[in-house]
Coordinates of all heavy atoms in Angstrom, one line a residue:
E55 N 33.3 -9.9 29.3 CA 31.9 -9.8 29.5 C 31.3 -11.1 30.0 O 31.5 -12.1 29.3 CB 31.2 -9.2 28.3 CG 29.8 -9.0 28.5 CD 29.2 -8.4 27.2 OE1 29.8 -7.5 26.6 OE2 28.1 -8.8 26.9
A56 N 30.7 -11.1 31.1 CA 30.1 -12.4 31.6 C 28.8 -12.7 30.9 O 28.0 -11.8 30.6 CB 29.9 -12.3 33.1
A57 N 28.7 -14.0 30.5 CA 27.5 -14.4 29.9 C 26.4 -14.5 30.9 O 26.6 -15.0 32.0 CB 27.7 -15.8 29.2
S58 N 25.2 -14.1 30.5 CA 24.1 -14.3 31.5 C 23.6 -15.7 31.4 O 23.4 -16.3 30.4 CB 22.9 -13.3 31.2 OG 22.4 -13.6 29.9
T59 N 23.3 -16.2 32.6 CA 22.9 -17.6 32.7 C 21.4 -17.6 33.0 O 20.9 -16.9 33.9 CB 23.5 -18.3 33.9 OG1 24.9 -18.2 33.8 CG2 23.1 -19.7 34.1
P60 N 20.6 -18.2 32.1 CA 19.1 -18.2 32.4 C 18.8 -19.0 33.7 O 19.5 -19.9 34.1 CB 18.6 -19.0 31.2 CG 19.7 -19.7 30.6 CD 21.0 -19.0 31.0
I61 N 17.8 -18.5 34.3 CA 17.3 -19.1 35.5 C 16.4 -20.3 35.2 O 15.5 -20.1 34.4 CB 16.5 -18.1 36.4 CG1 17.4 -16.9 36.8 CG2 16.0 -18.8 37.6 CD1 16.7 -15.8 37.5
P62 N 16.7 -21.5 35.7 CA 15.9 -22.6 35.4 C 14.5 -22.4 35.9 O 14.3 -21.8 36.9 CB 16.6 -23.8 36.2 CG 18.0 -23.3 36.5 CD 17.9 -21.8 36.5
S63 N 13.5 -23.0 35.2 CA 12.1 -22.8 35.5 C 11.8 -23.3 36.9 O 10.8 -22.9 37.5 CB 11.2 -23.4 34.5 OG 11.5 -24.8 34.4
T64 N 12.6 -24.2 37.4 CA 12.3 -24.8 38.7 C 12.6 -23.7 39.8 O 12.1 -23.9 40.9 CB 13.2 -26.0 39.0 OG1 14.6 -25.6 38.9 CG2 12.9 -27.2 38.1
Y65 N 13.2 -22.6 39.5 CA 13.5 -21.6 40.5 C 12.3 -20.6 40.6 O 12.3 -19.8 41.5 CB 14.8 -20.9 40.2 CG 16.0 -21.7 40.5 CD1 16.8 -22.1 39.5 CD2 16.3 -22.1 41.8 CE1 17.9 -22.9 39.7 CE2 17.4 -22.8 42.1 CZ 18.2 -23.2 41.0 OH 19.3 -24.0 41.3
H66 N 11.4 -20.6 39.6 CA 10.3 -19.7 39.6 C 9.3 -20.1 40.7 O 8.9 -21.3 40.7 CB 9.7 -19.5 38.3 CG 10.6 -18.9 37.3 ND1 10.8 -17.6 37.2 CD2 11.3 -19.4 36.3 CE1 11.6 -17.3 36.2 NE2 12.0 -18.4 35.7
C67 N 9.0 -19.3 41.6 CA 8.0 -19.6 42.6 C 6.6 -19.0 42.3 O 6.5 -18.0 41.7 CB 8.5 -19.0 43.9 SG 10.1 -19.7 44.5
K68 N 5.7 -19.8 42.7 CA 4.3 -19.3 42.6 C 4.1 -18.3 43.6 O 4.5 -18.4 44.8 CB 3.3 -20.5 42.7 CG 1.9 -20.1 42.6 CD 1.0 -21.3 42.8 CE -0.4 -20.8 42.8 NZ -1.4 -21.8 43.3
R69 N 3.4 -17.2 43.3 CA 3.1 -16.1 44.2 C 2.2 -16.7 45.3 O 1.2 -17.4 45.0 CB 2.4 -15.0 43.6 CG 3.3 -13.9 43.0 CD 2.6 -12.8 42.4 NE 1.7 -12.1 43.3 CZ 0.9 -11.2 42.9 NH1 0.9 -10.8 41.7 NH2 0.1 -10.6 43.8
P70 N 2.4 -16.4 46.6 CA 1.5 -16.8 47.6 C 0.1 -16.2 47.4 O 0.0 -15.1 46.9 CB 2.2 -16.4 48.9 CG 3.1 -15.4 48.5 CD 3.5 -15.6 47.1
T71 N -0.9 -16.9 47.8 CA -2.3 -16.3 47.8 C -2.5 -15.5 49.0 O -2.4 -16.0 50.1 CB -3.3 -17.5 47.7 OG1 -2.9 -18.3 46.6 CG2 -4.7 -17.0 47.5
P72 N -2.9 -14.2 48.8 CA -3.2 -13.4 50.0 C -4.6 -13.7 50.5 O -5.5 -13.9 49.7 CB -3.1 -12.0 49.4 CG -3.4 -12.1 48.0 CD -2.9 -13.5 47.6
Y73 N -4.8 -13.6 51.8 CA -6.2 -13.7 52.4 C -6.3 -12.5 53.4 O -5.3 -12.0 53.8 CB -6.3 -15.0 53.1 CG -6.3 -16.2 52.2 CD1 -5.1 -16.9 52.0 CD2 -7.4 -16.6 51.5 CE1 -5.1 -18.0 51.2 CE2 -7.4 -17.7 50.7 CZ -6.3 -18.4 50.5 OH -6.2 -19.4 49.6
L74 N -7.5 -12.2 53.7 CA -7.8 -11.1 54.7 C -8.8 -11.7 55.7 O -9.8 -12.3 55.3 CB -8.4 -9.9 54.0 CG -8.8 -8.8 54.9 CD1 -7.7 -8.1 55.6 CD2 -9.6 -7.7 54.1
I75 N -8.5 -11.5 57.0 CA -9.4 -11.8 58.0 C -9.9 -10.5 58.6 O -9.1 -9.7 59.1 CB -8.7 -12.6 59.1 CG1 -8.3 -14.0 58.6 CG2 -9.7 -12.8 60.3 CD1 -7.5 -14.8 59.6
I76 N -11.2 -10.2 58.6 CA -11.8 -9.0 59.2 C -12.4 -9.4 60.5 O -13.3 -10.3 60.5 CB -12.8 -8.4 58.2 CG1 -12.2 -7.9 56.9 CG2 -13.5 -7.3 58.9 CD1 -13.1 -7.4 55.9
T77 N -11.9 -8.8 61.5 CA -12.5 -9.1 62.8 C -12.4 -7.8 63.7 O -11.4 -7.1 63.5 CB -11.8 -10.3 63.5 OG1 -12.5 -10.5 64.8 CG2 -10.4 -10.0 63.8
N78 N -13.4 -7.6 64.5 CA -13.3 -6.4 65.4 C -13.3 -5.1 64.7 O -12.7 -4.2 65.3 CB -12.2 -6.6 66.4 CG -12.6 -6.5 67.8 OD1 -13.8 -6.5 68.1 ND2 -11.6 -6.5 68.7
I79 N -13.9 -4.9 63.6 CA -14.0 -3.6 62.9 C -15.4 -3.1 63.1 O -16.4 -3.8 62.7 CB -13.7 -3.7 61.4 CG1 -12.3 -4.4 61.2 CG2 -13.7 -2.4 60.7 CD1 -11.1 -3.6 61.7
S80 N -15.6 -1.9 63.7 CA -16.9 -1.5 64.0 C -17.5 -0.5 63.0 O -18.7 -0.3 62.9 CB -16.9 -0.8 65.4 OG -16.1 0.3 65.4
K81 N -16.7 0.2 62.2 CA -17.2 1.2 61.3 C -17.4 0.7 59.9 O -16.5 0.0 59.3 CB -16.2 2.4 61.2 CG -16.1 3.1 62.6 CD -15.3 4.4 62.5 CE -15.3 5.1 63.8 NZ -14.4 6.2 63.9
R82 N -18.6 0.9 59.4 CA -19.0 0.4 58.1 C -18.0 0.8 57.0 O -17.7 0.0 56.1 CB -20.4 0.9 57.8 CG -21.1 0.4 56.7 CD -22.6 0.6 56.7 NE -23.3 -0.6 57.2 CZ -23.8 -0.9 58.4 NH1 -23.7 0.1 59.3 NH2 -24.3 -2.0 58.7
Q83 N -17.6 2.1 57.0 CA -16.7 2.6 55.9 C -15.4 1.9 56.0 O -14.7 1.6 55.0 CB -16.5 4.1 56.0 CG -15.8 4.7 54.8 CD -16.4 4.4 53.5 OE1 -17.6 4.6 53.3 NE2 -15.7 3.9 52.5
N84 N -14.9 1.5 57.2 CA -13.6 0.8 57.3 C -13.8 -0.6 56.7 O -12.8 -1.1 56.0 CB -13.2 0.7 58.7 CG -12.7 2.0 59.3 OD1 -12.5 3.0 58.5 ND2 -12.6 2.2 60.6
I85 N -14.9 -1.3 56.9 CA -15.2 -2.6 56.3 C -15.1 -2.5 54.8 O -14.5 -3.2 54.1 CB -16.5 -3.1 56.7 CG1 -16.6 -3.4 58.2 CG2 -16.9 -4.3 55.9 CD1 -15.8 -4.7 58.7
K86 N -15.8 -1.5 54.2 CA -15.8 -1.3 52.8 C -14.4 -1.0 52.2 O -14.0 -1.5 51.2 CB -16.8 -0.1 52.4 CG -18.2 -0.5 52.7 CD -19.2 0.6 52.3 CE -20.6 0.2 52.6 NZ -21.6 1.2 52.1
N87 N -13.7 -0.2 53.0 CA -12.3 0.1 52.5 C -11.4 -1.2 52.5 O -10.6 -1.4 51.6 CB -11.6 1.2 53.4 CG -12.2 2.5 53.2 OD1 -12.9 2.8 52.2 ND2 -12.1 3.4 54.2
L88 N -11.6 -2.0 53.5 CA -10.8 -3.2 53.6 C -11.2 -4.2 52.5 O -10.3 -4.8 51.9 CB -11.0 -3.9 55.0 CG -10.3 -3.3 56.2 CD1 -10.9 -3.9 57.5 CD2 -8.8 -3.5 56.1
L89 N -12.5 -4.2 52.1 CA -12.9 -5.1 51.0 C -12.2 -4.6 49.7 O -11.8 -5.4 48.9 CB -14.4 -5.1 50.9 CG -15.2 -5.8 52.0 CD1 -16.7 -5.6 51.8 CD2 -14.8 -7.2 52.1
Q90 N -12.2 -3.3 49.5 CA -11.6 -2.7 48.3 C -10.1 -3.0 48.2 O -9.5 -3.3 47.2 CB -11.9 -1.2 48.2 CG -13.3 -0.9 47.9 CD -13.7 0.6 47.9 OE1 -13.0 1.3 48.6 NE2 -14.7 1.0 47.2
I91 N -9.4 -2.8 49.4 CA -8.0 -3.1 49.4 C -7.7 -4.6 49.1 O -6.8 -4.9 48.4 CB -7.4 -2.7 50.8 CG1 -7.4 -1.2 50.9 CG2 -6.0 -3.2 51.0 CD1 -7.2 -0.6 52.3
A92 N -8.5 -5.5 49.7 CA -8.4 -6.9 49.4 C -8.5 -7.2 48.0 O -7.7 -8.0 47.4 CB -9.4 -7.7 50.3
A93 N -9.5 -6.6 47.3 CA -9.7 -6.8 45.9 C -8.5 -6.3 45.1 O -8.0 -6.9 44.1 CB -10.9 -6.1 45.4
A94 N -7.9 -5.1 45.5 CA -6.8 -4.5 44.8 C -5.6 -5.4 44.9 O -4.8 -5.5 44.0 CB -6.5 -3.2 45.4
Y95 N -5.4 -6.1 46.0 CA -4.3 -7.0 46.2 C -4.6 -8.5 45.7 O -3.7 -9.4 45.8 CB -3.8 -7.1 47.6 CG -3.0 -5.9 48.0 CD1 -3.5 -4.7 48.5 CD2 -1.6 -5.9 47.7 CE1 -2.7 -3.6 48.8 CE2 -0.8 -4.8 48.0 CZ -1.4 -3.7 48.6 OH -0.6 -2.6 48.9
G96 N -5.7 -8.7 45.1 CA -6.0 -10.0 44.6 C -6.4 -11.1 45.5 O -6.2 -12.3 45.3
C97 N -7.0 -10.7 46.7 CA -7.4 -11.7 47.7 C -8.6 -12.4 47.1 O -9.7 -11.8 46.8 CB -7.8 -11.0 49.0 SG -6.5 -10.3 49.9
P98 N -8.5 -13.7 46.9 CA -9.7 -14.5 46.4 C -10.7 -14.8 47.5 O -11.9 -15.0 47.2 CB -9.1 -15.8 45.9 CG -7.9 -16.0 46.8 CD -7.4 -14.6 47.1
T99 N -10.3 -14.7 48.8 CA -11.2 -15.0 49.9 C -11.0 -14.1 51.0 O -9.8 -13.8 51.4 CB -11.0 -16.5 50.4 OG1 -11.1 -17.4 49.3 CG2 -12.0 -16.9 51.4
I100 N -12.1 -13.6 51.5 CA -12.0 -12.7 52.7 C -12.8 -13.5 53.8 O -13.9 -13.9 53.6 CB -12.7 -11.4 52.4 CG1 -11.9 -10.7 51.3 CG2 -12.7 -10.5 53.7 CD1 -12.6 -9.4 50.8
F101 N -12.2 -13.6 55.0 CA -12.8 -14.2 56.1 C -13.3 -13.2 57.0 O -12.5 -12.3 57.4 CB -11.8 -15.2 56.8 CG -11.3 -16.2 55.9 CD1 -10.0 -16.2 55.4 CD2 -12.0 -17.3 55.6 CE1 -9.5 -17.2 54.6 CE2 -11.6 -18.3 54.7 CZ -10.3 -18.2 54.3
V102 N -14.6 -13.3 57.4 CA -15.2 -12.3 58.3 C -15.5 -13.0 59.6 O -16.3 -14.0 59.6 CB -16.4 -11.7 57.7 CG1 -17.1 -10.7 58.6 CG2 -16.1 -11.0 56.4
V103 N -15.0 -12.5 60.7 CA -15.3 -13.1 62.0 C -16.2 -12.2 62.8 O -15.9 -11.0 63.0 CB -14.0 -13.4 62.8 CG1 -14.2 -14.0 64.2 CG2 -13.0 -14.2 62.0
G104 N -17.3 -12.8 63.3 CA -18.3 -12.0 64.0 C -19.0 -11.0 63.0 O -19.5 -11.4 62.0
Q105 N -18.9 -9.8 63.4 CA -19.4 -8.7 62.5 C -20.8 -8.9 62.0 O -21.2 -8.7 60.9 CB -18.5 -8.5 61.3 CG -17.0 -8.4 61.5 CD -16.6 -7.3 62.4 OE1 -16.2 -7.5 63.5 NE2 -16.8 -6.1 62.0
K106 N -21.7 -9.4 62.9 CA -23.1 -9.7 62.5 C -23.9 -8.6 62.0 O -24.9 -8.8 61.3 CB -23.8 -10.4 63.7 CG -23.1 -11.7 64.0 CD -23.8 -12.4 65.2 CE -23.0 -13.6 65.6 NZ -23.6 -14.8 65.6
K107 N -23.5 -7.3 62.4 CA -24.4 -6.2 61.9 C -24.1 -5.8 60.5 O -24.8 -5.0 59.9 CB -24.2 -5.0 62.9 CG -22.8 -4.3 62.7 CD -22.7 -3.1 63.6 CE -21.4 -2.3 63.4 NZ -21.4 -1.1 64.3
F108 N -23.1 -6.4 59.9 CA -22.8 -6.1 58.5 C -23.4 -7.1 57.5 O -23.4 -8.3 57.8 CB -21.3 -6.0 58.3 CG -20.6 -4.9 59.1 CD1 -19.9 -5.2 60.2 CD2 -20.8 -3.6 58.8 CE1 -19.3 -4.2 61.0 CE2 -20.3 -2.6 59.5 CZ -19.5 -2.9 60.6
E109 N -23.8 -6.7 56.3 CA -24.4 -7.5 55.3 C -23.4 -7.8 54.2 O -23.0 -6.8 53.6 CB -25.7 -6.9 54.8 CG -26.4 -7.6 53.7 CD -26.8 -9.0 54.2 OE1 -27.7 -9.1 55.1 OE2 -26.3 -10.0 53.7
F110 N -23.1 -9.0 53.9 CA -22.1 -9.3 52.9 C -22.8 -10.1 51.7 O -22.1 -10.7 50.9 CB -20.9 -10.1 53.4 CG -20.1 -9.3 54.4 CD1 -20.2 -9.5 55.8 CD2 -19.4 -8.2 54.0 CE1 -19.5 -8.8 56.7 CE2 -18.6 -7.5 54.9 CZ -18.7 -7.7 56.2
D111 N -24.0 -10.1 51.6 CA -24.7 -10.6 50.4 C -24.8 -9.5 49.4 O -25.4 -8.5 49.6 CB -26.1 -11.1 50.8 CG -26.9 -11.6 49.7 OD1 -26.5 -11.5 48.5 OD2 -28.0 -12.2 49.9
P112 N -24.2 -9.7 48.2 CA -24.2 -8.7 47.2 C -25.6 -8.3 46.6 O -25.7 -7.2 46.1 CB -23.3 -9.2 46.1 CG -23.3 -10.7 46.3 CD -23.5 -10.9 47.7
D113 N -26.6 -9.2 46.8 CA -27.9 -8.9 46.3 C -28.8 -8.3 47.4 O -30.0 -8.0 47.1 CB -28.5 -10.2 45.7 CG -27.7 -10.6 44.5 OD1 -27.3 -9.8 43.7 OD2 -27.4 -11.8 44.5
A114 N -28.4 -8.2 48.6 CA -29.2 -7.7 49.7 C -29.3 -6.2 49.6 O -28.4 -5.5 49.2 CB -28.6 -8.1 51.1
V115 N -30.5 -5.7 50.0 CA -30.7 -4.3 50.1 C -29.8 -3.8 51.3 O -29.8 -4.4 52.3 CB -32.2 -3.9 50.4 CG1 -32.4 -2.4 50.6 CG2 -33.1 -4.4 49.3
G116 N -29.1 -2.8 51.0 CA -28.2 -2.2 52.1 C -26.9 -3.0 52.3 O -26.3 -3.0 53.4
T117 N -26.5 -3.8 51.3 CA -25.3 -4.6 51.4 C -24.1 -3.7 51.8 O -24.0 -2.5 51.4 CB -25.0 -5.4 50.1 OG1 -23.8 -6.2 50.3 CG2 -24.7 -4.5 48.9
D118 N -23.1 -4.3 52.5 CA -21.9 -3.5 52.9 C -20.8 -3.8 51.9 O -19.7 -3.3 52.1 CB -21.5 -3.9 54.3 CG -22.5 -3.3 55.3 OD1 -22.6 -2.1 55.3 OD2 -23.1 -4.1 56.0
I119 N -21.1 -4.5 50.8 CA -20.1 -4.7 49.8 C -20.1 -3.5 48.9 O -21.2 -3.2 48.4 CB -20.4 -6.0 49.0 CG1 -20.3 -7.2 49.9 CG2 -19.4 -6.2 47.8 CD1 -20.8 -8.5 49.2
P120 N -19.0 -2.8 48.6 CA -19.0 -1.7 47.7 C -19.6 -2.0 46.4 O -19.3 -3.1 45.9 CB -17.5 -1.3 47.7 CG -16.9 -1.8 48.9 CD -17.7 -3.1 49.2
P121 N -20.3 -1.1 45.7 CA -20.9 -1.4 44.4 C -20.0 -1.9 43.4 O -20.3 -2.9 42.6 CB -21.5 0.0 44.0 CG -21.7 0.7 45.3 CD -20.6 0.2 46.2
M122 N -18.7 -1.4 43.4 CA -17.8 -1.9 42.3 C -17.3 -3.3 42.6 O -16.7 -3.9 41.7 CB -16.6 -1.0 42.3 CG -15.8 -0.9 43.6 SD -14.6 0.5 43.6 CE -13.1 -0.3 43.1
L123 N -17.6 -3.9 43.8 CA -17.2 -5.3 44.1 C -18.3 -6.3 44.1 O -18.1 -7.5 44.1 CB -16.5 -5.3 45.4 CG -15.2 -4.5 45.5 CD1 -14.6 -4.7 46.9 CD2 -14.2 -5.0 44.5
Q124 N -19.5 -5.8 44.0 CA -20.7 -6.7 44.1 C -20.7 -7.7 43.0 O -21.0 -8.9 43.2 CB -22.0 -5.9 44.1 CG -22.1 -5.1 45.4 CD -23.3 -4.1 45.4 OE1 -24.2 -4.1 44.5 NE2 -23.4 -3.2 46.4
N125 N -20.4 -7.3 41.7 CA -20.4 -8.3 40.7 C -19.2 -9.3 40.8 O -19.3 -10.4 40.4 CB -20.3 -7.6 39.3 CG -21.7 -7.1 38.9 OD1 -22.7 -7.6 39.3 ND2 -21.7 -6.1 38.0
V126 N -18.1 -8.8 41.4 CA -16.9 -9.7 41.6 C -17.3 -10.8 42.6 O -17.0 -12.0 42.4 CB -15.7 -8.9 42.2 CG1 -14.6 -9.8 42.6 CG2 -15.3 -7.8 41.2
V127 N -18.1 -10.5 43.6 CA -18.5 -11.5 44.6 C -19.6 -12.4 44.0 O -19.5 -13.6 44.1 CB -19.1 -10.8 45.9 CG1 -19.6 -11.8 46.9 CG2 -17.9 -10.0 46.6
R128 N -20.5 -11.8 43.2 CA -21.6 -12.6 42.6 C -21.0 -13.6 41.6 O -21.4 -14.7 41.5 CB -22.5 -11.7 41.7 CG -23.6 -11.1 42.5 CD -24.6 -10.4 41.5 NE -25.3 -9.4 42.2 CZ -25.0 -8.1 42.2 NH1 -24.0 -7.6 41.4 NH2 -25.6 -7.2 42.9
S129 N -19.9 -13.2 40.9 CA -19.3 -14.1 39.9 C -18.4 -15.2 40.5 O -18.0 -16.1 39.9 CB -18.5 -13.3 38.9 OG -17.3 -12.8 39.6
G130 N -18.1 -15.1 41.8 CA -17.3 -16.1 42.5 C -15.8 -15.8 42.4 O -15.0 -16.6 42.9
K131 N -15.4 -14.6 41.9 CA -14.0 -14.3 41.8 C -13.5 -13.9 43.2 O -12.3 -13.9 43.4 CB -13.8 -13.2 40.8 CG -14.1 -13.6 39.4 CD -13.9 -12.5 38.4 CE -14.2 -12.9 37.0 NZ -14.2 -11.8 36.1
M132 N -14.4 -13.5 44.1 CA -14.0 -13.2 45.5 C -15.1 -13.8 46.3 O -16.3 -13.6 46.1 CB -13.9 -11.7 45.7 CG -13.6 -11.3 47.1 SD -13.7 -9.6 47.4 CE -12.2 -9.0 46.7
D133 N -14.7 -14.6 47.3 CA -15.6 -15.2 48.3 C -15.5 -14.5 49.6 O -14.4 -14.1 50.0 CB -15.3 -16.7 48.5 CG -15.5 -17.5 47.3 OD1 -16.6 -17.2 46.6 OD2 -14.8 -18.4 47.0
I134 N -16.6 -14.3 50.3 CA -16.6 -13.8 51.6 C -17.2 -14.9 52.5 O -18.3 -15.3 52.3 CB -17.5 -12.5 51.7 CG1 -16.9 -11.4 50.8 CG2 -17.5 -12.0 53.2 CD1 -17.6 -10.1 50.8
V135 N -16.4 -15.4 53.4 CA -16.7 -16.5 54.3 C -16.8 -16.0 55.7 O -15.9 -15.4 56.2 CB -15.6 -17.6 54.2 CG1 -16.0 -18.8 55.0 CG2 -15.4 -18.1 52.7
R136 N -18.0 -16.3 56.3 CA -18.2 -15.8 57.7 C -18.0 -16.9 58.7 O -18.3 -18.1 58.5 CB -19.7 -15.3 57.8 CG -19.9 -14.1 56.8 CD -21.2 -13.5 57.1 NE -21.1 -12.6 58.1 CZ -21.9 -11.5 58.3 NH1 -22.8 -11.3 57.4 NH2 -21.7 -10.7 59.3
F137 N -17.5 -16.5 59.9 CA -17.3 -17.3 61.0 C -17.8 -16.6 62.3 O -17.7 -15.4 62.3 CB -15.8 -17.7 61.2 CG -15.3 -18.5 60.1 CD1 -14.6 -17.9 59.1 CD2 -15.4 -19.9 60.1 CE1 -14.1 -18.6 58.0 CE2 -14.8 -20.6 59.1 CZ -14.2 -20.0 58.1
D138 N -18.3 -17.3 63.2 CA -18.7 -16.7 64.5 C -17.5 -16.4 65.4 O -17.5 -15.3 66.1 CB -19.7 -17.6 65.3 CG -21.1 -17.7 64.6 OD1 -21.5 -16.7 64.0 OD2 -21.7 -18.8 64.7
K139 N -16.5 -17.3 65.4 CA -15.4 -17.1 66.3 C -14.1 -17.2 65.5 O -14.0 -17.9 64.5 CB -15.4 -18.1 67.4 CG -16.7 -18.0 68.2 CD -16.6 -19.0 69.4 CE -17.9 -18.8 70.1 NZ -18.0 -19.5 71.4
L140 N -13.1 -16.5 66.0 CA -11.7 -16.5 65.4 C -11.1 -17.9 65.3 O -10.5 -18.3 64.3 CB -10.8 -15.5 66.1 CG -9.4 -15.3 65.4 CD1 -9.5 -14.9 64.0 CD2 -8.6 -14.4 66.3
E141 N -11.4 -18.7 66.4 CA -10.8 -20.0 66.4 C -11.3 -20.9 65.3 O -10.6 -21.7 64.7 CB -11.2 -20.7 67.8 CG -10.5 -20.1 69.0 CD -11.2 -18.8 69.5 OE1 -12.4 -18.6 69.2 OE2 -10.6 -18.0 70.1
E142 N -12.6 -20.7 64.9 CA -13.2 -21.4 63.8 C -12.5 -21.0 62.5 O -12.3 -21.8 61.6 CB -14.7 -21.1 63.7 CG -15.5 -21.6 64.9 CD -16.9 -21.1 64.9 OE1 -17.3 -20.3 64.0 OE2 -17.7 -21.5 65.7
C143 N -12.3 -19.7 62.4 CA -11.6 -19.2 61.1 C -10.2 -19.8 61.0 O -9.8 -20.2 59.9 CB -11.6 -17.7 61.2 SG -10.8 -16.9 59.8
V144 N -9.5 -19.8 62.1 CA -8.1 -20.3 62.1 C -8.1 -21.8 61.7 O -7.2 -22.2 61.0 CB -7.4 -20.0 63.4 CG1 -6.0 -20.7 63.5 CG2 -7.2 -18.5 63.6
K145 N -9.0 -22.6 62.3 CA -9.1 -24.0 62.0 C -9.4 -24.3 60.5 O -9.0 -25.3 60.0 CB -10.1 -24.7 62.9 CG -9.6 -24.8 64.3 CD -10.7 -25.5 65.1 CE -10.2 -25.6 66.6 NZ -11.3 -26.3 67.4
H146 N -10.2 -23.3 59.9 CA -10.6 -23.5 58.5 C -9.4 -23.5 57.7 O -9.2 -24.2 56.7 CB -11.6 -22.4 58.1 CG -12.0 -22.4 56.7 ND1 -12.8 -23.4 56.2 CD2 -11.6 -21.7 55.7 CE1 -13.0 -23.2 55.0 NE2 -12.3 -22.2 54.6

């Protein structure tokens, strides 16, 4: 019977941090679904390019952030960062 060799701690890798870039999405419900999916996968930051007709302030009347995520954004556990152009987002 072969003895199991413990894996040295130097082999444990930190999980990569997921990010989401939202660009060119026209339907409000699709935006909300993407925000919920990002939260489910633990995205700490969502980058929004363009999309000026959508409201991402959790305290605004008619916000496009789903109710279950509004406190997450308020508390800073998830950031929504806006850019006018994709090139600006990529440089960030």
Side-chain angles (χ1 to χ4, degrees):
E55 181 176 319
S58 64
T59 305
I61 298 173
S63 62
T64 56
Y65 288 112
H66 293 282
C67 297
K68 182 180 173 193
R69 273 180 57 185
T71 303
Y73 294 97
L74 174 66
I75 298 174
I76 296 176
T77 185
N78 234 8
I79 305 295
S80 61
K81 293 186 178 174
R82 190 163 259 104
Q83 189 57 49
N84 290 344
I85 294 284
K86 290 179 179 186
N87 290 340
L88 286 168
L89 292 174
Q90 290 175 332
I91 290 166
Y95 279 94
C97 289
T99 306
I100 299 168
F101 300 105
V102 179
V103 179
Q105 312 301 113
K106 294 180 191 238
K107 72 178 185 177
F108 298 107
E109 179 60 66
F110 296 106
D111 178 349
D113 297 315
V115 175
T117 183
D118 289 300
I119 300 172
M122 63 195 263
L123 297 180
Q124 290 172 12
N125 283 335
V126 175
V127 175
R128 271 189 209 102
S129 70
K131 292 179 183 173
M132 178 187 283
D133 291 322
I134 299 176
V135 182
R136 298 188 86 151
F137 295 94
D138 288 329
K139 298 183 180 189
L140 183 59
E141 295 79 24
E142 295 170 354
C143 180
V144 171
K145 285 180 183 178
H146 177 74

